C-alpha cells in the first residue's frame, strides 16, 4: 500500500492510523532519485524518506536562509484567516504556526499524508465522520510576547474569526459543514455551536454532514490557533497579518517587541513589510521535543525573504551565492538549461509537480462547444506538446489528458481518452469526431456552420500565455473553427471569464491548483451548484440547471448540460482506496461524458538552489519549497 | 510675489483634485478588473463578493466613494494625516508605506538630478562654445547614444560590469541612509548614473541649442562690443537666459520622476513610488494608485511653482504676474 493510499485509508472508516503509525510509513531512507552530480546526497536526518530531498553530507543548523521574490503576493495580507496564497500557507504551516493537523512537508505522496501536529494524534471520525475530537499537545507555547500555553479556546477563536464577515475569510466554505458556523457567519449566533471545548486541551467538532476529508481541511492555516488577545484588535480584512504570533519554530522578527497590553499599543511587527519582505527568526518558546522532526527540521537560525523586482538579478544572485533561492518565479529557461546540462550543477535545479492543471475551458452552453463532439474533436486536435513547449518544455510541465493532477489520484496519470501520438494532436481522429457534430453540415470533418466562425477565445496577454494563442488558433483552424482571440491582462481576463453573462466560448487564461491534497478541490470546478453570476469558477457551466440558466440569462442547448454533481457527492462521502477509485471514475466521466476542458499540462514547480544550500526539499502540500527542511552553510554564502 | 504664490498654491490644490478625480474615474471606467473579486479569493461566493465590496467600500456609489476619499485625505484617518486608507493588495496602511517609499524615490531622483545638471549643463555649454568642432560633435554623439539607449538595458549592463564582473559596486537593493550612509551611497551610485545619463544627455542638447540661439541676440553683440570678458559674457549674458527654459523643464521632470522612475527602481530593486504604482496598477489597488497620483500631481505643481519663482530671479525679462 502506498503512502497515499494509507492517507486515504485514514480518511475512511476502515483504518485508523495514529501519528506513530503514520510516521513509520515514511521512514524508509532513500537517496534522491533526481539528485546527481558531485554533491553527495542522502536522505538522512529528518528521516522523512522524501524522494525530492536534496541533502549534502554537511547540513547543519544555523545561518540565514535568504530568499527573494518579486512580490510577496499575499492575497489576504498574511492574516491566516484571510490568506489564500499557497506559498503563504507554507510559511504559516512550516515556520510560524502549528495547526491541529499538518504534513511532513516533503515532496511526492509522502507529503500529502495528514499528520498530527498540534494534536496529540489524529482521531477517527465518529458518527459517519460527523464528529471529530482532538486532544491538544500540552506545553506548546505561543511565541513572545504572549508566552502562554496554547489552549482549545485559541482554536475556537480562529474559527470564530473565519465566521466574522469583516475578516474576509476566503476559504471558509471548507469549514461550513461545522454545525452553527453558518449561523454565526450570518449574524444569527455569537458562537459556533458545533465546536465544544470540554477543557483547555480538548476540542470537538460536530459537523452537519459526513466529511471524511475533514483532517485535510484542518491542516489549512486559517484553522490554526489565533490568540484572541491580539486577534480581537484586528478584525479588518488582512490587518492581523502584520501582528501574527505563532507556535512554530520561528516567529516574525520583532514579534517579541509587540506591546500587547492593549489594542492601542499594538504596532505592526517590524520584521514584516508587505512590500519589502519578511524575516523569520527562532521562536525562543518553541520546544522541538513537542514537535515531530519529520514535519520540521528547522535548521536555519533565520529565514529572510526579501522583495526583488529584477528577476534576472535574483537568479544572478542565486548563482553567485548571494541568495539561496527564489520564490514566486520559475527558473528562466536559459538558467535551467545551464544547470540541467552540467553534471556538477544538476542537483541544484529542482522540478516538482505543483499539483495544478493547465487547460482550455469550453463553455457547454455556447456554440459550437455546446456539442460534445466538437469538444471531443478539440481534445483530439490540440497539440499539447506545443503548448508544453510554450511554457518552457518538459522541465516546466508534464502533458496530461485529464483534469485532476496525478498526485491526487495516487500518482495515476493513465486517464487519457484522447491520447494522440506524441501528444501532438491527431487530425484524422479529430475530424472523425467532428463528422458526428451537427456543426459539420457536409460531414467532411470540418466545422462549417455559422457558429464555427469568429468564436471568441480569451487569453492573457503576457508571458507563456501569449505564446499559447497562436498554437490554439492554428490547431482549431484545422477542424474549421476560426477563433477570434481576445487577450487581456490577468485581472480583466479572469473577470471576463468569471462573469457568466459574457458567455466566453473558449479560454486558456485560467489554471487551477489544489487547495489540499484531495481531488474534491478540483471537483468544485464542475459543481453546478457553485455557478454564480460573477466570480464564477465553473467556467464551462457544467451542471447548470434550466432555473439557473434563466436567472443568469443563459440559453441552454436543447439537450441541456450534463451534470456530475451526484458523482462528486458520492465520492466526497467515501474514504480510503474507494475514494481514490471514485475520483478516478469521476475524472474519466468528466473527460468522456462531459468534456468541459482540454487539459494539457500539469505544471512543475522549478527551483534553483544557491551553492550554500546544504539541504532542501519540496513541500507537496503547498506546492513550494519546504522551508521546514532547508539548511544553509554560512561559510559558502556571499 | 506673495499673491502670485498664494494663487499658484490654490491652483495646485485644484490640479491635485482634478488629477485625483480623473484617476478615480479611469480606475472604474477602464477594464482593470473588480478588486472585490480578487479580495474574495479563488473560490468566491456571492456572499463573499458582497462582503468584499463592503470591506473595500466599493458598495457605495462612485460620488460617495470619492467624497470619502477626499474627506479622509483632508481630515485624516485612523492611520494618520493625510488619510490615504489601506491598500487593497497588501491590506496595509498606505501612509507609512508612502513615506518609506518616498525616501527611496527621493534619494534616487535628488542624487540623479544633481548629477544630470552637473554633467548636462557644462556639456551643453562646451558644445555650444565649440560649435561644429570635434568636441561638439563627439559630445553630442555621446548624448544621442544615451538618449537612444533603453534605460533598462543600460541599467542591466551597468550591473553586469560594475557588480558582476568588476565587483566595484554592490548589486541591487536599497540601504536606508540611517542604517548605513556608506552603503546607502554605494547602492545609489549606479541608479543615479543611469538616471543622470539619459537626462544629462537631453539637457546638454537643450542647453547647447538655447546657447546657440542666445549668442545671436543683439544684447550679446553689445556685451562683446562693450569689451566684457569672455567669462562674463558666457556666464552672465548667454548662460542665464539659456538656462531659463531648462529650469522650467527641470522642475517638471523632477516632479514627473516622483512616480516615474519605474524602470530604474525595478531593475535596481528599489522599492520606491514608481515601482509601487506599477504594482498597484497590476493589482487594481485604488488607494495606492490614488495616493501616488496625488503625490505626483502635488510634486509637479509645487516644483513648477518653485521653478517659476526661480526663473523670475534668474531672468530679469520674466516677471511674475
Amino acid at each position: 500500500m502506498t503512502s497515499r493510499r494509507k492517507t486515504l485509508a485514514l480518511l475512511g472508516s476502515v483504518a485508523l492510523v495514529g501519528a506513530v503509525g503514520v510516521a513509520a510509513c515514511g521512514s524508509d531512507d532513500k537517496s534522491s532519485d533526481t539528485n546527481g552530480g558531485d554533491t553527495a546526497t542522502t536522505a538522512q536526518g529528518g528521516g522523512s524518506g522524501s524522494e525530492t530531498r536534496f541533502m549534502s553530507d554537511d547540513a547543519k543548523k544555523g545561518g540565514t536562509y535568504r530568499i527573494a521574490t518579486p512580490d510577496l503576493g499575499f492575497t489576504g495580507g498574511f492574516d491566516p484567516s484571510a490568506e489564500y496564497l499557497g506559498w503563504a500557507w507554507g510559511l504559516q504551516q512550516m515556520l510560524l504556526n502549528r495547526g491541529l493537523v499538518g504534513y511532513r512537508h516533503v515532496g511526492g505522496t509522502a507529503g500529502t499524508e495528514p499528520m498530527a501536529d498540534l494534536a496529540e494524534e489524529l482521531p477517527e471520525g465518529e458518527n459517519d465522520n460527523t464528529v471529530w475530537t482532538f486532544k491538544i499537545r500540552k506545553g506548546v507555547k505561543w511565541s513572545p510576547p504572549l508566552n502562554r500555553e496554547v489552549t482549545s479556546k485559541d482554536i475556537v477563536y480562529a474559527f470564530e474569526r473565519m465566521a466574522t464577515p469583516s475578516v474576509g475569510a476566503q476559504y471558509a466554505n471548507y469549514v461550513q459543514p461545522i454545525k452553527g458556523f453558518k449561523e454565526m457567519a450570518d449574524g444569527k449566533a455569537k458562537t459556533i455551536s458545533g465546536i465544544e471545548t470540554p477543557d483547555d486541551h480538548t476540542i470537538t467538532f460536530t459537523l452537519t454532514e459526513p466529511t471524511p476529508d475533514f483532517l485535510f481541511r484542518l491542516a489549512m492555516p486559517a484553522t490554526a490557533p489565533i490568540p484572541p488577545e491580539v486577534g480581537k484588535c484586528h478584525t479588518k480584512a488582512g490587518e492581523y497579518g502584520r501582528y501574527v504570533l505563532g507556535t512554530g519554530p520561528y516567529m516574525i522578527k520583532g514579534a517579541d517587541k509587540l506591546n500587547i497590553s492593549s489594542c492601542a499599543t499594538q504596532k505592526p511587527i517590524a520584521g514584516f513589510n508587505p512590500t519589502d519582505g519578511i524575516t523569520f527568526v527562532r521562536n525562543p518558546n518553541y520546544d522541538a521535543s513537542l514537535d515531530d522532526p519529520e514535519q520540521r527540521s528547522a535548521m536555519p537560525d533565520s529565514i529572510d525573504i526579501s522583495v526583488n523586482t529584477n528577476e534576472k538579478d535574483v537568479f544572478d544572485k542565486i548563482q553567485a551565492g548571494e541568495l539561496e533561492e527564489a520564490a514566486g518565479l520559475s527558473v528562466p529557461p536559459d538558467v535551467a538549461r545551464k544547470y540541467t546540462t552540467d553534471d556538477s550543477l544538476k542537483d541544484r535545479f529542482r522540478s516538482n509537480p505543483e499539483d495544478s492543471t493547465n487547460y482550455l475551458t469550453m463553455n457547454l452552453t455556447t456554440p459550437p462547444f455546446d456539442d460534445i463532439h466538437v469538444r471531443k474533436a478539440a481534445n483530439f486536435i490540440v497539440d499539447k506538446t506545443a503548448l508544453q513547449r510554450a511554457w518552457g518544455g518538459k522541465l516546466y510541465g508534464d502533458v496530461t489528458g485529464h483534469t485532476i493532477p496525478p498526485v491526487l489520484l495516487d500518482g495515476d496519470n493513465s486517464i487519457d481518452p484522447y491520447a494522440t501520438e506524441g501528444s501532438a494532436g491527431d487530425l484524422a481522429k479529430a475530424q472523425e469526431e467532428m463528422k458526428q457534430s451537427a456543426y459539420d453540415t457536409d460531414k467532411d470533418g470540418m466545422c462549417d456552420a455559422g457558429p464555427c466562425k469568429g468564436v471568441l477565445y480569451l487569453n492573457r496577454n503576457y508571458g507563456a500565455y501569449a505564446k499559447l494563442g497562436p498554437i490554439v488558433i492554428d490547431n482549431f483552424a484545422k477542424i474549421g473553427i476560426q477563433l477570434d482571440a481576445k487577450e487581456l491582462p490577468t485581472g480583466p481576463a479572469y473577470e471576463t471569464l468569471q462573469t457568466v453573462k459574457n458567455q466566453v466560448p473558449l479560454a486558456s487564461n485560467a489554471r487551477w491548483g489544489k487547495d489540499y491534497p484531495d481531488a474534491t478541490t478540483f471537483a468544485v470546478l464542475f459543481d453546478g451548484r457553485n455557478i454564480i453570476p460573477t466570480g464564477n469558477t465553473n467556467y464551462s457551466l457544467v451542471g447548470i440547471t434550466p432555473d439557473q440558466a434563466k436567472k443568469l440569462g443563459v440559453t441552454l442547448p436543447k439537450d441541456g448540460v450534463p451534470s456530475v454533481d451526484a458523482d462528486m457527492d458520492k465520492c466526497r462521502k467515501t474514504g480510503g482506496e474507494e475514494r481514490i477509485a471514485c475520483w478516478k471514475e469521476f475524472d474519466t466521466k468528466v473527460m468522456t461524458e462531459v468534456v468541459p476542458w482540454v487539459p494539457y499540462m500539469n505544471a512543475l514547480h522549478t527551483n534553483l538552489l544557491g551553492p550554500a544550500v546544504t539541504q532542501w526539499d519540496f513541500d507537496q502540500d503547498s506546492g513550494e519549497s519546504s522551508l521546514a527542511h532547508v539548511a544553509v552553510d554560512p561559510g559558502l554564502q556571499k | 510675489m506673495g499673491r502670485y504664490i498664494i494663487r499658484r498654491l490654490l491652483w495646485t490644490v485644484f490640479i491635485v483634485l482634478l488629477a485625483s478625480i480623473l484617476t478615480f474615474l479611469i480606475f472604474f471606467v477602464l477594464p482593470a478588473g473588480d478588486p472585490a473579486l480578487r479580495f474574495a479569493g479563488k473560490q468566491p461566493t456571492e456572499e463573499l463578493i458582497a462582503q468584499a465590496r463592503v470591506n473595500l467600500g466599493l458598495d457605495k456609489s462612485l460620488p460617495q466613494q470619492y467624497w470619502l476619499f477626499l474627506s479622509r485625505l483632508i481630515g485624516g484617518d485612523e492611520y494618520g494625516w493625510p488619510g490615504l486608507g489601506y491598500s487593497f493588495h497588501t491590506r496595509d496602511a498606505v501612509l507609512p508605506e508612502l513615506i518609506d517609499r518616498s525616501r527611496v524615490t527621493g534619494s534616487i531622483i535628488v542624487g540623479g538630478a544633481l548629477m544630470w545638471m552637473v554633467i548636462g549643463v557644462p556639456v551643453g555649454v562646451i558644445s555650444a562654445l565649440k560649435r561644429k568642432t570635434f568636441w561638439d560633435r563627439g559630445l553630442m554623439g555621446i548624448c544621442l547614444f544615451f538618449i537612444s539607449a533603453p534605460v533598462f538595458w543600460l541599467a542591466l549592463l551597468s550591473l553586469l560590469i560594475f557588480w558582476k564582473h568588476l565587483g566595484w559596486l554592490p548589486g541591487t537593493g536599497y540601504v536606508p541612509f540611517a542604517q548605513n550612509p556608506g552603503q546607502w551611497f554605494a547602492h545609489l551610485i549606479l541608479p543615479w548614473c543611469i538616471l543622470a545619463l539619459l537626462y544629462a544627455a537631453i539637457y546638454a542638447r537643450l542647453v547647447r541649442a538655447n546657447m546657440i540661439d542666445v549668442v545671436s541676440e543683439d544684447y550679446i553683440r553689445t556685451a562683446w562690443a562693450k569689451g566684457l570678458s569672455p567669462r562674463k559674457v558666457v556666464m552672465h549674458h548667454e548662460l542665464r537666459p539659456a538656462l531659463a527654459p531648462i529650469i522650467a523643464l527641470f522642475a517638471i521632470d523632477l516632479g514627473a520622476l516622483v512616480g516615474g522612475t519605474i524602470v530604474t527602481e525595478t531593475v535596481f530593486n528599489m522599492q520606491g513610488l514608481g515601482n509601487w504604482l506599477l504594482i498597484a496598477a497590476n493589482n487594481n489597488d485604488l488607494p495606492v494608485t490614488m495616493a501616488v497620483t496625488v503625490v505626483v500631481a502635488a510634486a509637479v505643481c509645487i516644483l513648477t511653482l518653485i521653478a517659476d519663482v526661480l526663473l523670475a530671479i534668474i531672468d530679469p525679462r520674466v516677471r511674475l504676474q
Side-chain angles (χ1 to χ4, degrees), chain B:
Chain B
M1 186 182 278
R3 286 179 65 187
Y4 173 80
I5 291 173
I6 289 169
R7 206 165 60 238
R8 286 290 300 271
L9 283 173
L10 288 174
W11 182 244
T12 297
V13 172
F14 173 73
I15 293 290
V16 168
L17 281 179
L18 194 65
S20 67
I21 290 171
L22 284 174
T23 309
F24 197 81
L25 289 176
I26 287 168
F27 184 88
F28 285 102
V29 171
L30 288 183
D34 182 356
L37 279 185
R38 189 174 186 274
F39 210 84
K42 140 180 154 171
Q43 282 189 67
T45 59
E46 286 182 271
E47 294 80 14
L48 257 177
I49 297 168
Q51 184 60 47
R53 285 193 209 291
V54 173
N55 290 346
L56 299 177
L58 299 169
D59 56 326
K60 299 176 178 66
S61 67
L62 284 191
Q64 278 178 314
Q65 286 182 51
Y66 183 75
W67 176 246
L68 205 61
F69 161 77
L70 206 58
S71 54
R72 283 178 183 159
L73 183 71
I74 295 164
D77 63 10
E78 59 194 290
Y79 306 112
W81 188 91
L84 296 169
Y86 87 121
S87 159
F88 288 177
H89 177 50
T90 63
R91 319 289 204 266
D92 201 25
V94 171
L95 183 60
E97 188 63 29
L98 181 84
I99 294 166
D100 280 353
R101 284 179 175 266
S102 297
R103 289 192 186 111
V104 178
T105 299
S107 297
I108 297 171
I109 59 176
V110 169
L114 277 174
M115 203 180 265
W116 90 57
M117 287 302 269
V118 166
I119 298 170
V121 173
V123 166
V125 171
I126 292 167
S127 266
L129 295 178
K130 310 264 181 194
R131 196 149 64 114
K132 293 185 178 172
T133 64
F134 166 79
W135 285 102
D136 178 29
R137 292 200 172 102
L139 287 171
M140 286 305 105
I142 292 170
C143 287
L144 203 60
F145 170 75
F146 285 120
I147 292 170
S148 317
V151 172
F152 77 91
W153 177 76
L154 279 179
L156 287 172
L157 194 69
S158 68
L159 276 172
L160 185 75
I161 296 169
F162 295 103
W163 167 64
K164 203 170 174 183
H165 287 312
L166 300 174
W168 291 354
L169 290 169
T172 58
Y174 175 79
V175 177
F177 183 82
Q179 190 181 313
N180 185 331
Q183 280 295 310
W184 171 83
F185 183 78
H187 276 86
L188 281 164
I189 291 174
L190 284 180
W192 283 340
C193 291
I194 295 303
L195 198 63
L197 285 174
L198 169 67
Y199 283 91
I202 296 170
Y203 279 51
R205 288 180 70 84
L206 282 172
V207 169
R208 178 184 178 275
N210 289 346
M211 288 273 287
I212 290 169
D213 278 351
V214 169
V215 292
S216 58
E217 294 281 345
D218 290 345
Y219 66 89
I220 300 295
R221 272 197 294 276
T222 309
W224 286 115
K226 280 163 72 180
L228 293 178
S229 68
R231 187 170 173 274
K232 199 153 189 176
V233 173
V234 171
M235 299 302 287
H236 283 253
H237 297 282
E238 291 180 5
L239 188 57
R240 278 177 68 167
L243 277 183
I246 300 293
I247 288 169
L249 186 68
F250 180 70
I252 294 169
D253 282 342
L254 214 55
L257 278 177
V258 170
T261 54
I262 296 173
V263 176
T264 311
E265 287 177 6
T266 303
V267 175
F268 289 104
N269 183 32
M270 302 217 158
Q271 310 309 317
L273 293 174
N275 194 296
W276 200 28
L277 189 61
L278 184 69
I279 295 169
N282 283 336
N283 291 290
N284 308 331
D285 196 346
L286 178 64
V288 171
T289 310
M290 293 294 284
V292 180
T293 305
V294 165
V295 168
V296 173
V300 170
C301 290
I302 290 167
L303 286 165
T304 313
L305 170 61
I306 293 169
D308 287 349
V309 172
L310 276 175
L311 212 56
I313 295 166
I314 289 173
D315 190 343
R317 295 172 303 175
V318 176
R319 288 287 171 267
L320 299 177
Q321 291 178 358

Side-chain angles (χ1 to χ4, degrees), chain A residues 523-538:
Chain A
V524 291
L525 299 177
F526 310 116
D527 193 330
R529 296 155 295 195
N530 286 350
I531 297 170
I532 52 176
T534 54
N536 176 48
T537 50
N538 181 346

